[in-house]
Amino acid sequence: MLASLIAAVVLTSTAVITLATLPGSLRGAVQNRVELDVRRVASDARTTQLRSMLPTSPRVHLLQVVSREGTVLAASHNLRGKPPITHLKLAKPETIYTTEARLSGDPEVIESDAKYLVMAMESQTPYGLVTVYGAASLADVDRALGWLYAVIFLGIPLVLVIVGSITWTVVGQALSPVERIRAELAEITGHDLSRRVPVPDNGDEITQLAATTNHTLERLERSVETQRRFVADASHELRSPITALRTQLEVATAYPDDTDWPSTGARALMSADRLTDIIDELLMLARLDAGAVTDRHVVDACRLAEEQERRRAGGAVSIVTDAPGTAPVFGSPIQLDRLLTNLLDNATRHASARIDLQVAVDEWDKTVVIKVTDDGPGIAPEYRDCVFERFTRLPEARVKDKDGSGLGLALSREIALAHQGSLTISDHFPGAQFVTRLPLYVEGYSPV
């Protein structure tokens, strides 16, 4: 419809301009020739150079010089011996008068069914007052205009039908892959995201659309699978402390006289604390997944490390901090503190006697490097990626800490990524070394 509408506007505009200018242009060309001959003959008559046989220009068919008494003084070769072609009453001499009329006369000279453009001018000559007549047939002009009207009024609708049909067919064929993609997408539901849309081999934008759609479906499938696993694992992790808490309270309620209430309250409080920690980590992960932006400002990573060391002083595992100078980063103090807390908690569970906490500035790539190293058994290379998955706990971790949730390292990596940084495990012996890199804060520039 749009293509037909555009074609209709273009063709109609062209037709209107043509109809407004072409008929007048064709008649104007004929009129100029006739007027030129009439004025030439009148000039010859005034200077007594009038010849009995008048030459005519191309397409000027008839020329006559008629005296006031009606005598033909001169004529073109086809009007020799013929009466005047017309009698016009002219108001003023030396003035050209124009009309269109059907002329009568010899059929071999004058076309009876054709209109003629007739021009006349009176002029004072040595022969007296004479009238010069010139006439040209408009048959060719009328035929040309007839063809023009036929082309415009019959051809334009035909062209519009052809344009509409071709456009409909071509666009339909071009968009048929889109319809197949749409139909396939309509069949895909949240219960089965393994299906993919067909990818045409045209190599055009539709091919790119189909390929991008399939990539999006792949990411969506992975995301949904991760979400399902996350919900299942979260339900499992939350069920354990809730069950333990419920069991403790049910036993205490059933045997109130035999219950050590301070001990029972302490254990219930520990279960509640574990539930609180899991929920806090889940909420922070959910905010990070949603792309929520917390209040951020300049934070000194060295001061965070020193605060962690003071907070953990007197613990079973000693923490040795190496954080000279300052290491400014732009970020959320709460999230960055949580990152260090999780890394140190993980190191404390696996360390034998010592944890090294090192903060330094890498001037070469403008990053702040935070290294947390323990002297425990370490992490095998094949497990260094999976430990950052949510609710993933290695067998050794389950033995050492049954109350862990498997969210700490996953949350730490998400915090690092949210701050345009990274968290990896590097080779180290003995133990494991977690390396966090965050963009160094430069005055007047915020990297996140």
Side-chain angles (χ1 to χ4, degrees):
M1 291 177 63
L2 182 60
S4 299
L5 180 61
I6 293 174
V9 171
V10 172
L11 293 177
T12 302
S13 302
T14 304
V16 169
I17 295 173
T18 301
L19 292 177
T21 58
L22 187 59
S25 177
L26 293 176
R27 281 181 164 79
V30 175
Q31 182 175 341
N32 289 338
R33 292 191 183 98
V34 176
E35 182 177 354
L36 184 62
D37 278 6
V38 168
R39 290 188 180 276
R40 176 179 55 80
V41 171
S43 176
D44 292 344
R46 285 194 296 271
T47 58
T48 68
Q49 296 180 1
L50 185 65
R51 290 174 290 179
S52 60
M53 182 181 295
L54 302 176
T56 59
S57 300
R59 297 190 177 279
V60 178
H61 303 94
L62 307 173
L63 278 176
Q64 274 187 340
V65 179
V66 180
S67 67
R68 197 177 188 87
E69 292 78 15
T71 303
V72 177
L73 303 178
S76 55
H77 71 281
N78 52 0
L79 289 179
R80 289 177 64 82
K82 306 295 183 182
I85 56 175
T86 186
H87 296 280
L88 296 179
K89 293 183 179 180
L90 308 182
K92 294 189 301 182
E94 307 300 335
T95 301
I96 291 285
Y97 290 88
T98 306
T99 186
E100 291 185 15
R102 297 184 184 276
L103 302 179
S104 58
D106 188 351
E108 294 181 359
V109 177
I110 298 175
E111 301 177 40
S112 58
D113 57 346
K115 274 190 176 182
Y116 280 80
L117 177 68
V118 180
M119 302 187 72
M121 183 176 73
E122 279 188 342
S123 182
Q124 187 66 43
T125 70
Y127 312 102
L129 191 63
V130 299
T131 303
V132 180
Y133 293 104
S137 173
L138 294 175
D140 292 342
V141 173
D142 292 338
R143 279 193 293 270
L145 292 178
W147 281 107
L148 177 63
Y149 296 146
V151 169
I152 289 178
F153 294 110
L154 297 179
I156 287 181
L158 180 60
V159 169
L160 291 179
V161 171
I162 294 174
V163 169
S165 301
I166 293 176
T167 306
W168 183 273
T169 303
V170 172
V171 173
Q173 292 178 353
L175 294 182
S176 58
V178 177
E179 172 59 24
R180 291 194 292 270
I181 293 173
R182 185 208 62 79
E184 186 65 27
L185 281 175
E187 297 294 328
I188 297 176
T189 64
H191 300 289
D192 182 15
L193 293 174
S194 61
R195 299 174 63 171
R196 298 293 180 266
V197 301
V199 179
D201 56 357
N202 301 330
D204 55 7
E205 289 80 358
I206 297 179
T207 301
Q208 298 175 10
L209 171 64
T212 303
T213 301
N214 284 338
H215 292 323
T216 302
L217 289 173
E218 290 175 5
R219 292 195 300 270
L220 180 61
E221 184 180 14
R222 289 196 300 268
S223 175
V224 170
E225 184 59 31
T226 301
Q227 184 181 19
R228 288 173 180 169
R229 187 171 63 252
F230 178 80
V231 171
D233 292 341
S235 301
H236 174 74
E237 293 295 334
L238 290 174
R239 186 182 297 113
S240 298
I242 292 175
T243 302
L245 179 61
R246 183 181 182 87
T247 300
Q248 293 169 13
L249 295 177
E250 285 179 348
V251 171
T253 304
Y255 305 99
D257 296 334
D258 299 332
T259 299
D260 183 356
W261 285 104
S263 176
T264 300
R267 291 194 301 271
L269 185 59
M270 291 177 59
S271 297
D273 289 340
R274 186 187 176 201
L275 277 172
T276 301
D277 291 340
I278 293 175
I279 292 172
D280 288 343
E281 290 178 337
L282 287 173
L283 288 175
M284 187 171 289
L285 279 171
R287 293 190 187 100
L288 291 172
D289 290 340
V293 179
T294 58
D295 292 335
R296 298 184 178 186
H297 49 80
V298 181
V299 180
D300 189 351
C302 293
R303 302 290 80 78
L304 288 179
E306 293 171 354
E307 176 62 28
Q308 286 286 342
E309 182 183 17
R310 285 193 295 270
R311 196 183 305 165
R312 296 170 184 270
V317 179
S318 64
I319 299 178
V320 179
T321 302
D322 180 14
T326 60
V329 296
F330 188 81
S332 167
I334 297 176
Q335 292 181 358
L336 294 175
D337 183 71
R338 188 55 178 265
L339 184 151
L340 279 179
T341 299
N342 291 346
L343 292 180
L344 290 172
D345 287 345
N346 179 75
T348 301
R349 284 192 293 268
H350 298 88
S352 299
R354 169 173 171 158
I355 298 173
D356 291 313
L357 176 56
Q358 180 183 5
V359 181
V361 175
D362 189 340
E363 294 290 349
W364 184 78
D365 60 357
K366 300 298 181 183
T367 58
V368 173
V369 183
I370 304 173
K371 296 181 180 179
V372 177
T373 310
D374 63 68
D375 58 354
I379 301 175
E382 60 269 22
Y383 294 126
R384 290 181 181 176
D385 285 331
C386 65
V387 295
F388 292 108
E389 296 179 3
R390 300 173 186 184
F391 299 108
T392 297
R393 302 182 67 201
L394 300 181
E396 296 83 355
R398 294 183 182 275
V399 172
K400 290 188 176 185
D401 184 10
K402 296 182 180 180
D403 294 330
S405 64
L407 288 173
L409 295 179
L411 179 57
S412 297
R413 172 169 276 189
E414 292 295 335
I415 292 174
L417 293 176
H419 287 75
Q420 306 300 313
S422 63
L423 174 58
T424 58
I425 302 175
S426 63
D427 292 331
H428 188 272
F429 183 82
Q433 184 177 77
F434 288 80
V435 180
T436 304
R437 288 184 175 271
L438 299 171
L440 177 67
Y441 174 77
V442 180
E443 187 69 29
Y445 169 72
S446 172
V448 291

